[in-house]
Amino acid sequence: MSHPHLPIDEIAATVRSIWPDNPAFGVVLGSGLGTLADSITAEATIDFDCLPHFPRATALGHRGRFVCGRVQGVPVIVQQGRFHAYEGHSFEHITLPIRVMQSLGVRTLILTNAAGGLRPGMQVGDVMLIEDHINLLFGRSLPVHGSAIGEPRPADGSPHYDRQLMSQAEQTGRQLSERVTRGVYLALSGPCYETRAEYRMVRNLGADAVGMSTVPEVLIARRAGMRVLAMSVISNVETSDIGDPVSGEEVIRTVSSVEPVVRSIVHAIVSVSGVLSTHPGH
Ligand code: HPA
């Protein structure tokens, strides 16, 4: 999927000149999950500053580089730090890393984020697999309206989230005796966390968790035909009218403590799917 206005091929060529492998898996690390990159056998780290025309990551807890390497011998590219609408980034810039990953050969994308939990019974530290989303981030579901960029519109309402990958993630959760649930993620642009009234509103709209990212990347990954797993670490639960508002630092602290669970899920999926994809008879 080339794009007439974005220098995807040039960026991908720069990555390839530093790390010539063909990663079939891409991973996007959300707030507080950056340390997951330490668990891959790194062969190259590429700061976003080194890539032509690439935006800079400025959000709290987002480092701003690709870590390229292997998980159980399977080549993987990890985006350590993402771009958000609240930093002033456009839909095009937020999703640029995904288009670059696609150009490098990524076929399966695992996205992670921190989110506020809304469904009664949710607990801080739960991992919620996103099974559907409500997109209130940009008020549109493609980078540019209509077919102005010369790309066909995908089927409306096509299923975005891969059921087999969700089952694998749940299986890892069971093996670890960790809480891994499924739910609907609603994306708002932030950057402030919601008011009590806003939490009530998004719950009433049908969301189980609320955050400020992921949906644009999912939409572009699906247009590129990738399999997608997306998971939220529930960093705060907003089911009552009492309690102090959460802070960004607390969110990062809480999410970091759940990183080993997310790490296990990522490793399990890459090793199982990586083996299957290198043995086409399966
Ligand atoms: N709202 C929006 N984004 C978030 C939250 C929240 O409560 N927690 C972590 N990211």
Side-chain angles (χ1 to χ4, degrees):
M1 183 176 59
S2 70
H3 189 294
H5 307 305
L6 293 171
I8 297 157
D9 294 340
E10 189 185 343
I11 300 167
T14 308
V15 172
R16 243 188 245 109
S17 71
I18 300 168
W19 186 62
D21 223 318
N22 298 306
F25 290 86
V27 181
V28 180
L29 298 179
S31 310
L33 292 168
T35 52
L36 199 152
D38 301 341
S39 70
I40 77 162
T41 311
E43 294 171 347
T45 56
I46 306 171
D47 286 336
F48 293 162
D49 302 10
C50 302
L51 295 173
H53 318 286
F54 219 70
R56 304 281 170 265
T58 64
L60 187 68
H62 288 260
R63 173 108 185 217
R65 63 182 192 177
F66 285 120
V67 179
C68 311
R70 279 162 201 279
V71 169
Q72 312 248 335
V74 180
V76 175
I77 183 162
V78 178
Q79 182 188 337
Q80 198 182 26
R82 62 147 58 86
F83 307 117
H84 303 83
Y86 63 74
E87 296 167 271
H89 293 300
S90 63
F91 203 132
E92 286 78 1
H93 276 151
I94 291 170
T95 53
L96 184 57
I98 308 304
R99 290 178 183 269
V100 170
M101 285 187 197
Q102 194 231 345
S103 176
L104 294 170
V106 168
R107 305 294 308 141
T108 302
L109 184 68
I110 304 176
L111 296 140
T112 61
N113 63 40
L118 303 163
R119 185 171 62 210
M122 265 186 169
Q123 294 175 15
V124 167
D126 283 358
V127 172
M128 186 193 87
L129 308 175
I130 301 178
E131 61 178 356
D132 204 348
H133 67 232
I134 300 172
N135 179 13
L136 298 183
L137 198 48
F138 282 102
R140 57 195 163 102
S141 55
L142 287 177
V144 175
H145 283 292
S147 57
I149 55 172
E151 294 174 11
R153 219 165 52 125
D156 294 326
S158 57
H160 292 298
Y161 300 94
D162 191 287
R163 303 209 157 268
Q164 203 183 345
L165 296 178
M166 280 194 277
S167 299
Q168 283 173 15
E170 284 167 334
Q171 195 181 332
T172 304
R174 277 195 299 276
Q175 282 161 357
L176 298 173
S177 303
E178 295 286 348
R179 286 169 54 92
V180 176
T181 66
R182 292 188 188 194
V184 174
Y185 176 86
L186 183 146
L188 290 174
S189 45
C192 296
Y193 296 132
E194 292 67 34
T195 65
R196 296 280 151 209
E198 287 164 344
Y199 281 122
R200 268 198 306 278
M201 175 192 76
V202 288
R203 175 70 192 138
N204 287 336
L205 287 177
D208 298 307
V210 57
M212 306 174 194
S213 67
T214 306
V215 172
E217 292 127 306
V218 169
L219 293 169
I220 290 303
R222 292 296 299 142
R223 293 193 87 198
M226 294 180 192
R227 298 175 73 193
V228 170
L229 175 75
M231 51 190 148
S232 298
V233 175
I234 303 302
S235 55
N236 47 293
V237 288
E238 306 298 338
T239 51
S240 78
D241 273 344
I242 48 170
D244 294 327
V246 69
S247 73
E249 286 77 11
E250 277 174 72
V251 163
I252 287 179
R253 254 199 315 279
T254 307
V255 174
S256 309
S257 69
V258 186
E259 184 265 311
V261 180
V262 179
R263 176 186 294 213
S264 300
I265 292 173
V266 169
H267 280 237
I269 283 178
V270 172
S271 39
V272 171
S273 310
V275 168
L276 292 181
S277 62
T278 50
H279 294 85
H282 283 267

